[in-house]
Amino acid sequence: MARIIVITSGKGGVGKTTTSAALAMGLAQRGRRTAVIDFDVGLRNLDLIMGCERRVVFDFVNVINEEANLNQALIRDKRCDHLYVLPASQTRDKEALTKEGVGRVLDELAQTFDFIVCDSPAGIEHGATMAMYFADDAVVVTNPEVSSVRDSDRMLGILSSKSRRAEANEEPIREYLLLTRYDPQRVDSGEMLSVDDVQEILSLHLLGIVPESKAVLTSSNAGIPVILDRESDAGQAYADMVSRYLGEEVPHRFLHAEKKGFLSRLFRG
Amino acid sequence: MAVNEEKPKSDVSSSFELKAASFTLPIIRLLDTDVEAVAARLGTKVEKAPDFFHNTPVVIDLGSLPEGAGEVEFPLLVGLLRGYGMIPFGVRGGNPAQNAAAEALELAVLRDSYLRRKKAAKETKDAERESESRAPAPQGSDAPIGLLPGRRANPGFMLITRPVRSGQRVYAAGGDLSIIAAVSSGAELMADGNIHVYGPLRGRALAGMSGNLEARIFCQDLQAELVSIAGHYRVSENIPVEMRGVPVQVFLDQKILRIEKL
């Protein structure tokens, strides 16, 4: 049985899609059969980040409406055999996502995949609630900033009450925190919330800290999940996150600003 | 006993009589479920004639609410009316879900025979639709957790062990509410009795919802947006800085809300 992971946040622009792409690619690279679904119907982005926008024929809504079958709609990633993308529709609205339809598609995917990553749209409306309804795990993507933290908190409340697991009185969704766009220098100077500040409010299992990085934008524009950029700090942070999600103990990195040594200051300064 | 002796001792049943009487009562006809808007309007009305409303029994009329207006926040509304000295004791013209919510607060559901007959046909249809669409809904985060339609057995208190997140509402009907986790800003706690919070309290806490002036709020770390006892409230702006972040109790002293260090 596949594990269904929702990537959510409440707030927009915090890095949900980047995280979805990175997590899905990371899991697939470790040999897990992974499907990543774009729930942002009407504003599809995931296919761009995954670099498969030119190969979209059918989409998620087509499958829900039984206008296409899953195999026709799933796009296999060219870089990794275990990774498939189910893009969102650009021409419909989110009402096209019905609980029965989404449930059926996820059930069908669960037969053949190990992990299903659901990229949630921003907000707490229909699309977002559909993305999290069937989830087993939730990764709450948060920026170290007060409004993002509050929205994540709100999202956690919804996760614990409006999901299938909550309604069936099963074990609750496992909730993880991923802190993105973290800038240790600004944290040190008191301009940005620190990990501890965020955890004081959310108190969740911390899956990782992704530093603010130019690599994220460059990779997104190039259609390459940033996790494939092993040189970059963001890529490494995402790789750590995948390891932690799979249960490995990896110490947290990128918490503190790099201290500039005497020599580097001398030569670069 | 003195009273009894004066009465003819013919039989036991003469200790009381059952009779019907009709009263003319003020009715608050809700046109909107937004309690804060009601609060604003009502405040100005009451200020003009405070004596008129003091200890006046009132009925809440739900018959004029637009369909699909959302849930009426009875605990807040009742707390508000009591805060102004009124005695809300019943509702009329509500749909089954609203009546259930009102009953959970020990409000009487008054049957208005005229209204009933007129709406009877529509009502039954509504009720059917209601029961269909409602079935999975009550767990919603926007519905107060304790206020589920169908009114479950009340143990007299409520214990919450998981964090209460922004946007969640918890209502302990008829008793105390204890929380051994954090309460986030934007969350709302309500109880007819006391409220105890053994984590940081950053949301709103409203104790003594059914008008109990003896109810108190106890918390380890007060960072609340609003605290209220039986409708007497204070917003975070009016909470002294030295009371923030320390263990405190909030209580009413001569109808004045007081916050003291523990």
Side-chain angles (χ1 to χ4, degrees):
Chain A
M1 224 9 216
R3 204 128 181 113
I4 302 173
I5 314 164
V6 61
I7 314 294
T8 185
S9 75
K11 199 164 160 41
V14 293
K16 286 182 294 296
T17 303
T18 305
T19 303
S20 301
L23 177 61
M25 179 60 86
L27 289 169
Q29 280 182 324
R30 285 158 207 240
R32 312 297 208 284
R33 279 180 63 82
T34 307
V36 55
I37 308 178
D38 191 350
F39 273 78
D40 206 347
V41 174
L43 291 167
R44 59 172 234 236
N45 288 149
L46 183 70
D47 50 335
L48 287 171
I49 310 279
M50 296 296 298
C52 63
E53 76 277 9
R54 290 160 183 273
R55 295 195 286 144
V56 176
V57 183
F58 295 109
D59 58 51
F60 192 19
V61 174
N62 290 138
V63 183
I64 287 175
N65 294 344
E66 300 186 39
E67 295 153 0
N69 65 38
L70 252 181
N71 291 331
Q72 290 173 298
L74 281 172
I75 303 169
R76 202 178 77 180
D77 192 87
K78 283 185 171 165
R79 296 153 294 211
C80 185
D81 286 348
H82 297 295
L83 181 60
Y84 289 81
V85 181
L86 184 54
S89 169
Q90 183 75 299
T91 51
R92 315 291 180 94
D93 61 22
K94 294 189 171 64
E95 304 310 312
L97 300 175
T98 59
K99 204 178 265 183
E100 299 72 38
V102 173
R104 205 189 62 241
V105 174
L106 289 177
D107 273 347
E108 202 178 329
L109 284 170
Q111 315 271 329
T112 46
F113 285 93
D114 299 322
F115 289 102
I116 303 168
V117 178
C118 303
D119 180 23
S120 168
I124 52 172
E125 315 306 328
H126 185 71
T129 46
M130 276 300 110
M132 48 139 260
Y133 184 77
F134 296 95
D136 301 306
D137 298 326
V139 178
V140 179
V141 184
T142 307
N143 288 169
E145 173 234 343
V146 280
S147 60
S148 173
V149 173
R150 174 176 288 190
D151 288 359
S152 297
D153 193 59
R154 178 90 172 90
M155 208 63 223
L156 286 161
I158 297 173
L159 278 169
S160 64
S161 58
K162 282 196 179 163
S163 64
R164 183 187 58 79
R165 280 173 173 264
E167 282 175 10
N169 248 331
E170 289 175 28
E171 187 192 332
I173 295 177
R174 268 194 251 158
E175 301 156 342
Y176 300 97
L177 173 67
L178 182 75
L179 214 50
T180 55
R181 312 196 68 163
Y182 197 76
D183 187 338
Q185 243 161 4
R186 297 190 65 186
V187 171
D188 287 349
S189 61
E191 293 168 43
M192 195 180 255
L193 296 181
S194 70
V195 183
D196 295 337
D197 294 335
V198 176
Q199 281 291 53
E200 202 185 304
I201 293 168
L202 298 179
S203 51
L204 293 178
H205 182 88
L206 182 62
L207 205 54
I209 299 151
V210 181
E212 173 81 66
S213 167
K214 286 180 181 166
V216 173
L217 186 64
T218 333
S219 323
S220 294
N221 287 340
I224 303 163
V226 69
I227 196 167
L228 294 177
D229 183 355
R230 277 162 230 261
E231 301 295 303
S232 71
D233 43 3
Q236 293 170 18
Y238 274 119
D240 287 0
M241 172 194 82
V242 175
S243 307
R244 282 191 206 101
Y245 176 76
L246 292 172
E248 293 167 37
E249 291 274 338
V250 186
H252 286 287
R253 291 194 275 174
F254 315 108
L255 271 171
H256 303 289
E258 273 176 48
K259 295 261 182 337
K260 276 193 179 159
F262 171 72
L263 281 175
S264 65
R265 237 183 291 174
L266 196 67
F267 290 114
R268 289 215 186 146
Chain B
M1 279 328 230
V3 182
N4 263 352
E5 272 160 43
E6 277 169 29
K7 281 187 175 176
K9 290 185 178 176
S10 53
D11 62 326
V12 189
S13 66
S14 71
S15 62
F16 68 88
E17 279 180 299
L18 256 181
K19 281 194 164 182
S22 55
F23 299 89
T24 307
L25 296 172
I27 282 175
I28 296 201
R29 179 173 290 156
L30 284 192
L31 303 173
D32 190 358
T33 52
D34 182 3
V35 175
E36 276 171 33
V38 175
R41 295 291 302 276
L42 205 57
T44 53
K45 274 252 186 317
V46 173
E47 264 169 37
K48 281 184 199 154
D51 290 342
F52 178 76
F53 291 102
H54 191 66
N55 284 345
T56 309
V58 291
V59 176
I60 303 165
D61 187 344
L62 306 165
S64 307
L65 282 175
E67 264 183 68
E71 270 178 73
V72 182
E73 301 183 52
F74 282 112
L76 276 181
L77 183 64
V78 167
L80 175 78
L81 295 178
R82 288 204 170 107
Y84 285 127
M86 289 175 243
I87 308 172
F89 76 95
V91 298
R92 74 164 192 189
N95 62 32
Q98 288 165 338
N99 287 347
E103 274 183 346
L105 271 177
E106 295 179 355
L107 291 175
V109 176
L110 305 172
R111 313 216 174 263
D112 193 323
S113 49
Y114 167 70
L115 249 169
R116 279 272 145 185
R117 235 175 292 136
K118 213 173 68 174
K119 288 172 77 180
K122 206 179 109 218
E123 196 100 314
T124 39
K125 228 187 278 168
D126 278 359
E128 280 165 23
R129 204 184 316 140
E130 194 80 16
S131 54
E132 277 168 23
S133 62
R134 279 265 156 176
Q139 276 287 350
S141 75
D142 289 314
I145 294 171
L147 241 185
L148 309 182
R151 191 187 180 182
R152 57 179 165 201
N154 194 346
F157 68 93
M158 196 179 206
L159 175 69
I160 306 271
T161 53
R162 302 194 70 197
V164 185
R165 303 289 184 181
S166 177
Q168 286 186 314
R169 294 168 68 208
V170 184
Y171 177 46
D176 283 14
L177 174 62
S178 305
I179 302 203
I180 45 176
V183 179
S184 297
S185 70
E188 201 165 84
L189 308 179
M190 293 171 285
D192 286 339
N194 305 316
I195 295 178
H196 310 259
V197 183
Y198 301 97
L201 168 59
R202 300 192 178 94
R204 298 167 157 225
L206 300 94
M209 288 301 292
S210 49
N212 186 352
L213 302 174
E214 301 296 310
R216 292 186 177 205
I217 298 168
F218 304 93
C219 65
Q220 291 281 355
D221 180 354
L222 179 72
Q223 301 176 36
E225 293 170 331
L226 180 145
V227 287
S228 159
I229 310 275
H232 300 262
Y233 68 90
R234 231 194 253 197
V235 292
S236 112
E237 210 177 59
N238 300 331
I239 297 174
V241 184
E242 62 270 24
M243 295 298 166
R244 309 203 126 247
V246 294
V248 297
Q249 62 165 328
V250 183
F251 59 99
L252 278 185
D253 181 12
Q254 308 289 329
K255 294 210 167 179
I256 292 169
L257 193 79
R258 296 194 42 182
I259 304 176
E260 260 178 24
K261 280 186 194 164
L262 279 175

